[in-house]
Amino acid sequence: MGKGFFHVPTAINEPIKSYAPGSSEREEVLQQYHTYFNGNIDVPLYIGSKEIKTGKTKPMSPPHDHKNVVGQYHLAESKHVSEAIENCLASRTAWADLTWEQRAAIFLKAADLIAGPYRAKINAATMIAQSKTIHQAEIDSACELIDFLRFNVEYMSQIYGEQPESSEGVWNRVEYRPLEGFIYAITPFNFTAIAGNLPASAAMMGNVVLWKPSDSQIFSAKVIVDVFKEAGLPDGVINVVYGDPVMITKTALDSPDFAGIHFTGSTKVFQDLWKQIGNNIHTYKTYPRIVGETGGKDFIIAHPSAKPQQVATAITRGAFEFQGQKCSAASRVYLPKSTANEILDLVKKDIESFNKPGSPEDMSNFITAVIHEGAFDKLAKYIDQAKSDQNAEIIAGGNYDKSKGYFIEPTVILTTDPKYTTMETELFGPVVTVYIYEDKNWSKTLKLVDETSIYALTGAVLSTDRYAITEATQALQNCAGNFYINDKPTGAVVGQQPFGGARASGTNDKAGSSQNLLRWVSPRLIKETFVSPENYRYPFLD
Ligand code: NAD
């Protein structure tokens, strides 16, 4: 930046549209949904200025109607990944040297494109690819992605503004250099916003990126690519490949120019990536940044003073929205004996009021399909196990059917064992497990919550008793990176609740905050002395 200290537009959260019957946004998104559903999209690799069709393809189908093919994507071979890395490196200097306000303008334009002409497209694509209801698509692929882009631009400008003091005769300055090499972004299926944000946040700070989206999200990832292109992102800054994740990852991590990984996905995959990076450490030109947000086993604990209706709503919304496929979804619940039956009756009533799981095209559906057959089979296995285990009982749902879509009924398992497998294991589906504790064991139960799972992502306490809230906040301080009081544990908003967990849930670099952006820069301190000394001798030597 040579010619002005520029202020970026103040970021505000994108308002959520209602999609109520008769609204223009509802009509528009349904029209786009039908176009996509009945169309056939061919998704190439995006490498430099080229759109590469390798001829080796995989079909894309909506999880709620898996026999309907909506397109296919082309699979990369190792040589394509190498070519993508070469394109990253060839684009690096020009992109890193572009003044920051130009980078900001590109991503602010991308946000405005999503808020306007691409809103129906990105939402409809997310409804198709990930089987999100329109509300879930709107809060993810439209609002959250817009918020990530706008707030990160603001955080970027704040970071650049952070400068050291200077003493007399000296001027100290810090340059926030992008990392030397390329960033590898690996993104999960469950949020279009995360898929867009992981490559974009690193690129915004001047880095070049190799992006590998999840196989189950490529249909909506393509809209992100279209938006970035239309926003004016230069070719080669974000190169996009799909295919065998092991091969792509090996090629990326074997490169001496690998400078950082921006990952969101499951814990085991991240741990394996970390190991591979460790094994290669002597080959890298720079110590790579490792940022990963991973699994969760998110809890709700209700104190005996909590209002049953509020606890029930927190469970229904927290556990079942988007079929429980949010990393923050409530999946283990601790209820006091005195109010447990009332709470569970209310939850059952909520579940009975849902339509049977179905397509998001029918906007009266609250529950749609889980992402793919692998997820469906895994969930069905745990449900069957609960049906036969002595220490577990299914008190709501428990049915599943994959003949048309991967439909799992919202299911509540009641267990007498607080360490029952579904109290500990991340299932990532519309299945919640409940353990009932004796009211007098409240404090002991807090300890149990803390010790039960390897994860520490989100959690919620519900209570009307301030002493109980204080005790829970203290006792549970290490078992959730995002902790909620009298609310469900899901629904973090960019700019308000920076998101991330500790323990096996990730490096807690808080997506949607300046803490995350700082991982993608390597500051250079420049000290300039105005009148340089000309004699080595200090006064004490006299
Ligand atoms: P996943 O781990 O199966 O896949 C994530 C990404 O990793 C995908 O792009 C996938 O292709 C890739 N991948 C899979 N195996 C790989 C391998 N061996 N080497 C390299 N890459 C590989 O996760 P998912 O099913 O897409 O997403 C769900 C998971 O993500 C859950 O565990 C959830 O908790 C987690 N998640 C966490 C957060 C968070 O902020 N903590 C947010 C969203 C999702």
Side-chain angles (χ1 to χ4, degrees), residues 186-190 212 249 264-266 293-295 327 426 428 499:
I186 307 183
T187 57
F189 79 82
N190 65 336
K212 193 208 87 57
T249 299
T264 297
S266 54
E293 295 307 329
T294 57
C327 47
E426 184 184 50
F428 222 58
F499 191 79

